[in-house]
Amino acid sequence: MAGWFVLAAAAGFALPDLFWLLLALTAGVMLVVLAFHNTVGFCAAWLLVAGATLEMALGDAIGGSAYQTIIAMVKAAEIGLAGVCMLRYGARADPFNPAYAYIAIAVLGVATGLHPGLSPQDSLRSLIGSAAPLLFGFSLLSRPWCEAILRICRLIPVLTVIAGCALFAAGLRPLFVDSGGWRLAALGHPAFLGGFCLTAIYAGLATWLRTGAWREFALIGVNALVLLATGARAPMMYAAVVTLGTILFADSPAVRTRHRRLLLLGLASLLPIFLLAAG
């Protein structure tokens, strides 16, 4: 890093017009080196930023023109971190990776014709952005990496709501939006927050099956309450079906039968609330 900085500084004196470009390249190289040595922390921080949908809160604060720029930066960081994971942990073939489905979608789109309101550039950007999170599947990820990502997934809704409450208290952003009724938005949009709540519940169920810890199911309950507040009905249905199916049918030596029965009673008591929210 020091050698690169000296080289860039010397080149900047020789070619002053390229100074800022060299400075940006220097910062980029340093970030790559830091990400390589702190891959878990960088990936966890990126996931928290992406899950909080900061482009919406920042876009409202500094202007809508920055919205697409922030999204592009988040996606670029995602692709870069996926490459760093492949370099550090090793690459692997993943023949069943869902990213291939987006390639098929792109081929079908070109063959049948794109939507009239969608340019080829917009279509390509959307394709890359949708497939980018799946690139991590082509890396031999370490156990600490997976543990950190699961932990952040479970905490994203709670942290997003806390940050949204802080902005609401400061008078910078409303906590709820009127969209067919008052729905919790926090830092972003109710639908996006509902989607991340669903992911958090899935991550919590996976961790609960492995550990059998009650605190994991308590966090699942908190994320379920946030999901109810968003009014996202499809994620509510998915969460209810998957949670119920997991309790009834997923085998785990860490979970006792008595605990499953208690959880089923708890879910049954919440059923009227769920039906009212879904309606």
Side-chain angles (χ1 to χ4, degrees):
M1 292 172 65
W4 174 269
F5 182 78
V6 172
L7 180 63
F13 280 109
L15 301 168
D17 294 339
L18 298 179
F19 174 76
W20 292 109
L21 175 61
L22 293 170
L23 186 63
L25 288 174
T26 300
V29 170
M30 291 182 175
L31 279 175
V32 170
V33 172
L34 289 173
F36 188 84
H37 287 282
N38 302 276
T39 308
V40 174
F42 268 70
C43 289
W46 164 81
L47 180 59
L48 182 58
V49 170
T53 57
L54 288 182
E55 66 273 7
M56 293 189 175
L58 291 176
D60 292 344
I62 64 180
S65 59
Y67 183 77
Q68 292 296 336
T69 302
I70 297 172
I71 293 177
M73 292 173 62
V74 173
K75 292 297 182 183
E78 178 180 19
I79 296 172
L81 287 172
V84 168
C85 287
M86 293 179 196
L87 288 174
R88 178 171 182 181
Y89 301 123
R92 72 182 181 99
D94 189 7
F96 299 105
N97 193 301
Y100 295 120
Y102 289 100
I103 299 177
I105 291 172
V107 173
L108 289 173
V110 173
T112 59
L114 300 175
H115 189 277
L118 189 65
S119 67
Q121 293 80 7
D122 291 337
S123 178
L124 180 62
R125 184 173 64 241
S126 178
L127 171 69
I128 295 174
S130 299
L134 304 169
L135 295 179
F136 289 100
F138 294 102
S139 174
L140 293 166
L141 300 169
S142 68
R143 185 180 181 89
W145 189 95
C146 297
E147 292 285 355
I149 295 302
L150 279 172
R151 188 178 303 111
I152 293 298
C153 280
R154 303 196 302 272
L155 293 175
I156 280 176
V158 176
L159 296 177
T160 301
V161 171
I162 292 174
C165 290
L167 292 182
F168 173 72
L172 299 176
R173 182 179 176 83
L175 189 61
F176 290 82
V177 296
D178 187 3
S179 176
W182 289 103
R183 302 172 61 186
L184 179 63
L187 294 179
H189 189 277
F192 292 164
L193 179 56
F196 279 105
C197 286
L198 183 62
T199 304
I201 291 172
Y202 290 165
L205 288 171
T207 306
W208 174 69
L209 285 174
R210 192 174 70 252
T211 64
W214 277 99
R215 65 177 180 274
E216 297 298 340
F217 221 92
L219 186 56
I220 291 174
V222 173
N223 287 323
L225 291 176
V226 176
L227 176 56
L228 286 173
T230 65
R233 287 177 289 184
M236 285 184 207
M237 181 187 68
Y238 300 149
V241 171
V242 173
T243 302
L244 183 62
T246 300
I247 295 174
L248 287 174
F249 305 114
D251 188 25
S252 170
V255 180
R256 298 178 181 177
T257 302
R258 181 170 60 89
H259 292 172
R260 293 179 188 268
R261 292 172 181 171
L262 290 173
L263 291 172
L264 286 174
L265 288 175
L267 289 177
S269 65
L270 293 175
L271 184 60
I273 300 176
F274 171 79
L275 293 176
L276 287 174

